[in-house]
Amino acid sequence: FEMTRREERQQRRKTSSAQPSQCILDEVEKRRRQEREEMEALQTQFTAREVPGFVNRPLFEEMRLAEEERRTILRKEHAKKLLAEQQPFSFIERDKKKKELLLQTAREHRRQQPEKP
């Protein structure tokens, strides 16, 4: 009877000691599988995607031209507005009126004088 107990204990030790070795074997197999997967991933050929079309558009050039066009339009509008608001100086108008008055009086004076033969 003692022998059977001893054999059972030995058998348990063997199975209990066999289980950790099975765990170790599982770990080793798991590592190998991971390494294989990593190697397969490294073996796949990398292909880059095509560059999208909007990348090659000259956005800065378009923005610069639009800003330049806007600037010229604004300058023209401001110049028109300034000319519309601009009033001549009072002495310029006064001088024009004096000249016109002098010319009229000179013409009238010439008409009134008889022609000399």
Side-chain angles (χ1 to χ4, degrees):
F1 184 72
E2 193 65 36
M3 286 176 69
T4 53
R5 283 186 183 172
R6 189 178 67 206
E7 287 178 5
E8 285 176 4
R9 275 187 283 187
Q10 285 178 354
Q11 193 69 350
R12 274 191 236 141
R13 279 190 213 144
K14 285 182 183 178
T15 57
S16 64
S17 65
Q19 284 178 348
S21 66
Q22 184 64 34
C23 290
I24 293 172
L25 290 175
D26 289 342
E27 281 293 319
V28 169
E29 181 62 30
K30 187 177 177 181
R31 285 184 193 153
R32 285 183 186 160
R33 194 175 334 117
Q34 284 177 348
E35 287 177 2
R36 256 187 274 127
E37 289 173 359
E38 288 175 1
M39 289 303 289
E40 287 175 5
L42 291 174
Q43 295 300 324
T44 57
Q45 185 66 30
F46 174 77
T47 55
R49 292 182 185 166
E50 188 174 327
V51 177
F54 70 87
V55 172
N56 295 326
R57 279 185 47 209
L59 290 177
F60 180 75
E61 186 67 22
E62 291 174 9
M63 286 172 37
R64 190 184 61 78
L65 291 174
E67 180 63 26
E68 187 176 320
E69 184 177 338
R70 186 184 73 81
R71 195 179 319 121
T72 56
I73 290 170
L74 283 176
R75 281 184 182 162
K76 288 178 183 178
E77 288 177 1
H78 288 297
K80 285 180 185 177
K81 187 176 179 183
L82 187 66
L83 287 175
E85 292 177 356
Q86 186 177 13
Q87 296 179 353
F89 295 112
S90 62
F91 67 87
I92 294 176
E93 287 290 322
R94 188 180 62 218
D95 288 347
K96 282 184 184 179
K97 287 180 183 177
K98 279 184 181 178
K99 281 183 184 179
E100 287 178 19
L101 191 68
L102 284 174
L103 286 174
Q104 275 184 343
T105 54
R107 286 181 196 150
E108 288 177 7
H109 189 53
R110 282 184 203 159
R111 286 184 194 161
Q112 290 176 358
Q113 287 183 353
E115 292 182 22
K116 295 182 181 178

